[in-house]
């Protein structure tokens, strides 16, 4: 590293003083630059100067104005004032303004002059050292923060891929389960599609849409561990079989519970057979206690159940199913969700000409 010579800036309107002081300082081994007034100082000052010597009485900006202006910069260069003998008031004012020291002119004692200059130079070295230390520290902190952020990103991507792998594994199991049962085949896929469509139609936040999709995807996962033979038989289910079936929301929530990343989904799965009037299962929760996403799942799940064929009954047509949703709006289903669903499914369905104008006027949700 190149060793930088200490550089001193002198401002004095008296050319004689400038030249004398310069010569002395150069004799001591300093690099010197001179200007004739305060403005000259402000024009050229920068971090390469280590000490500034200011005369007090100068045309234009005097010494006090100049130090005031210098204080606005961040250079932190010690300023020494040149004062005539006997101007003690000036000296006090100079110190109050932040001057480091003052020198008397004419210079009579070279040793004292030299000591004062050296002290100011040392002060400047100390300032620079502290600045470098602070910069190094900041740099170190910044580098560590960057490293930490990188590690966090890596961790997040691990955790995301783990989540995705888990979701995929569960989906495969779910599909395998559904394929065993001709009548429920495709139910999960359709319910998930309806839920995603409705989430978008209701303009839900992106995060809610992710939760809704996952909850829909796994809402019936509890059926994985329930003996399916009873729901595959033709005809109506017995009371005992119903009791067994009714366990699937709780069982499903318990399957998802240990995963940690599906906390909200867990409750939606648990409550997807609740009703607005509190007559659903497993907890008999009323509408005001249900997650809004649960209300969506309840509607789309029921709609698909109504429009798909089951062992014990024929499926309803879309128009009939929507009328049923409307009938049970408020008691079983959340009215707002039903209105949005009715509107969206009409747009979503490829055959929306099956709806009469009168029907659309009754069920269509206005955007206002
Ligand atoms: Fe279910």
């Amino acid at each position: 590293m190149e060793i930088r010579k200490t550089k001193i800036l002198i401002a004095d309107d008296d050319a004689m003083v400038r030249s004398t002081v310069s010569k002395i300082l150069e004799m001591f081994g300093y690099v010197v630059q001179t200007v004739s007034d305060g403005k000259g100082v402000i024009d050229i000052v920068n971090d390469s100067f280590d000490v500034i010597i200011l005369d007090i009485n100068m045309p234009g900006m005097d010494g006090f104005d100049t130090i005031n202006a210098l204080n606005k910069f961040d250079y932190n260069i010690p300023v020494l004032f040149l004062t005539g003998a006997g101007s003690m008031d000036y000296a006090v004012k100079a110190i109050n303004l932040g001057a480091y020291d003052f020198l008397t002119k004419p210079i009579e004692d070279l040793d004292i002059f030299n000591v004062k200059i050296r002290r100011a130079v040392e002060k400047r070295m100390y300032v620079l050292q502290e600045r470098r230390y602070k910069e190094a520290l900041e740099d170190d902190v910044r580098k560590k923060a960057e490293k930490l952020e990188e590690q966090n990103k890596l961790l997040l991507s691990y955790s995301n891929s783990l989540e995705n792998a888990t979701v995929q594994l569960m989906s495969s199991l779910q599909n395998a389960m559904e394929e065993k049962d001709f009548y429920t085949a495709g139910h999960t896929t359709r319910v998930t599609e309806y839920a995603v469509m409705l989430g978008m139609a209701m303009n839900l936040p992106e995060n809610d849409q992710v939760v809704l999709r996952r909850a829909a995807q796994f809402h019936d996962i509890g059926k994985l561990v329930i003996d399916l033979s009873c729901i595959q038989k033709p005809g109506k289910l017995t009371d005992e079989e119903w009791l067994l079936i009714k366990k699937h929301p709780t069982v499903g929530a318990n399957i998802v519970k240990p995963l940690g990343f599906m906390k909200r989904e867990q409750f939606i799965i648990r409550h997807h057979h609740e009703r607005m009037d509190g007559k659903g299962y497993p907890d008999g929760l009323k509408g005001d206690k249900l997650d809004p996403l649960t209300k969506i799942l309840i509607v789309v799940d029921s709609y698909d159940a109504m429009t798909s064929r089951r062992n014990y009954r024929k499926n309803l047509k879309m128009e009939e199913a929507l009328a049923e949703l409307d009938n049970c709006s408020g008691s079983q289903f959340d009215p707002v969700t039903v209105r949005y669903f009715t509107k969206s499914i009409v747009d979503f369905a490829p055959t929306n000409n099956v709806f009469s104008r009168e029907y659309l006027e009754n069920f269509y949700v206005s955007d206002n």
Side-chain angles (χ1 to χ4, degrees):
M1 204 173 81
E2 189 196 338
I3 297 173
R4 189 173 64 91
K5 275 196 157 183
T6 305
K7 200 166 146 192
I8 298 178
L9 176 60
I10 302 168
D12 199 306
D13 56 331
D14 184 336
M16 191 66 185
V17 175
R18 286 202 300 271
S19 129
T20 315
V21 177
S22 291
K23 276 188 188 128
I24 296 171
L25 289 170
E26 277 161 0
M27 191 178 74
F28 289 140
Y30 300 117
V31 174
V32 181
Q33 199 162 340
T34 60
V35 288
S36 59
D37 56 18
K39 189 181 171 299
V41 173
I42 301 308
D43 284 347
I44 66 162
V45 71
N46 60 41
D47 245 333
S48 73
F49 292 99
D50 297 304
V51 175
I52 298 172
I53 297 174
L54 288 182
D55 181 21
I56 292 177
N57 291 316
M58 290 184 286
M61 281 176 91
D62 68 9
F64 300 129
D65 295 336
T66 311
I67 195 169
N68 271 329
L70 283 171
N71 284 341
K72 295 194 175 87
F73 297 115
D74 271 337
Y75 299 127
N76 218 339
I77 304 168
V79 173
L80 301 173
F81 273 96
L82 270 175
T83 61
S87 47
M88 199 54 197
D89 288 351
Y90 275 1
V92 171
K93 187 176 176 189
I95 298 292
N96 283 339
L97 283 173
Y100 183 69
D101 204 345
F102 52 91
L103 308 161
T104 48
K105 66 177 176 182
I107 297 159
E108 280 158 357
D109 188 329
L110 269 185
D111 284 340
I112 290 181
F113 180 83
N114 190 19
V115 165
K116 288 192 170 197
I117 296 289
R118 228 173 40 217
R119 267 210 323 247
V121 171
E122 273 165 18
K123 161 77 178 163
R124 172 65 175 169
M125 294 305 122
Y126 176 72
V127 164
L128 290 180
Q129 203 179 354
E130 203 176 29
R131 191 190 289 172
R132 275 195 295 271
Y133 176 72
K134 212 175 130 203
E135 278 167 4
L137 204 69
E138 279 166 2
D139 195 47
D140 196 41
V141 169
R142 189 177 46 76
K143 276 184 186 147
K144 279 185 179 142
E146 274 170 9
K147 203 172 164 194
L148 210 66
E149 201 185 312
E150 236 169 71
Q151 284 171 340
N152 278 345
K153 268 188 203 156
L154 209 64
L155 263 169
L156 193 69
S157 90
Y158 283 150
S159 128
N160 281 344
S161 52
L162 202 65
E163 274 189 33
N164 288 341
T166 311
V167 168
Q168 255 163 33
L169 176 71
M170 284 169 58
S171 289
S172 306
L173 284 171
Q174 175 102 1
N175 290 340
M177 178 198 77
E178 278 198 1
E179 274 168 24
K180 288 208 283 181
D181 177 2
F182 171 77
Y183 290 103
T184 59
H187 170 69
T188 299
T189 310
R190 287 190 305 271
V191 166
T192 307
E193 274 177 22
Y194 293 149
V196 168
M197 168 205 79
L198 194 46
M200 281 179 353
M202 293 174 95
N203 207 11
L204 296 185
E206 205 172 309
N207 207 33
D208 281 10
Q209 295 199 28
V210 172
V211 172
L212 178 61
R213 196 184 61 225
R214 277 188 185 167
Q217 215 169 343
F218 300 119
H219 74 281
D220 271 347
I221 199 161
K223 287 183 181 168
L224 262 180
V225 295
I226 293 174
D227 181 10
L228 291 176
S229 55
C230 69
I231 52 171
Q232 281 173 325
K233 65 162 197 171
K236 281 206 166 192
L237 299 178
T238 65
D239 287 352
E240 275 170 14
E241 287 162 348
W242 265 117
L243 273 179
L244 196 61
I245 279 279
K246 279 181 169 183
K247 283 186 179 168
H248 81 272
T250 321
V251 172
N254 286 340
I255 291 175
V256 165
K257 194 176 176 182
L259 293 179
F261 63 87
M262 287 216 263
K263 281 224 160 55
R264 197 171 164 198
E265 288 90 331
Q266 181 196 323
F267 291 101
I268 300 171
I269 292 170
R270 183 179 174 93
H271 297 131
H272 79 273
H273 284 288
E274 303 286 2
R275 296 167 49 110
M276 292 300 284
D277 56 13
K279 291 180 182 162
Y281 61 91
D283 297 320
L285 290 189
K286 284 202 169 176
D288 58 341
K289 295 278 185 294
L290 295 173
D291 186 314
L293 302 184
T294 309
K295 296 174 187 173
I296 293 177
L297 187 55
I298 294 171
V299 169
V300 297
D301 185 31
S302 304
Y303 174 80
D304 189 65
M306 286 189 263
T307 50
S308 349
R309 266 192 71 188
R310 289 288 163 103
N311 295 10
Y312 46 88
R313 56 151 177 74
K314 270 186 72 184
N315 56 303
L316 298 184
K317 288 194 187 98
M318 188 188 292
E319 195 173 359
E320 293 166 334
L322 289 180
E324 183 62 16
L325 285 183
D326 187 57
N327 275 341
C328 303
S329 176
S331 56
Q332 188 174 354
F333 307 114
D334 170 49
V336 176
T337 311
V338 168
R339 286 218 314 278
Y340 268 101
F341 182 73
T342 305
K343 181 195 172 186
S344 330
I345 198 74
V346 168
D347 292 341
F348 188 66
T351 53
N352 56 12
N353 56 0
V354 301
F355 297 97
S356 62
R357 169 157 292 281
E358 188 192 0
Y359 180 86
L360 291 177
E361 275 163 6
N362 281 332
F363 288 101
Y364 225 72
V365 180
S366 152
D367 278 329
N368 316 318

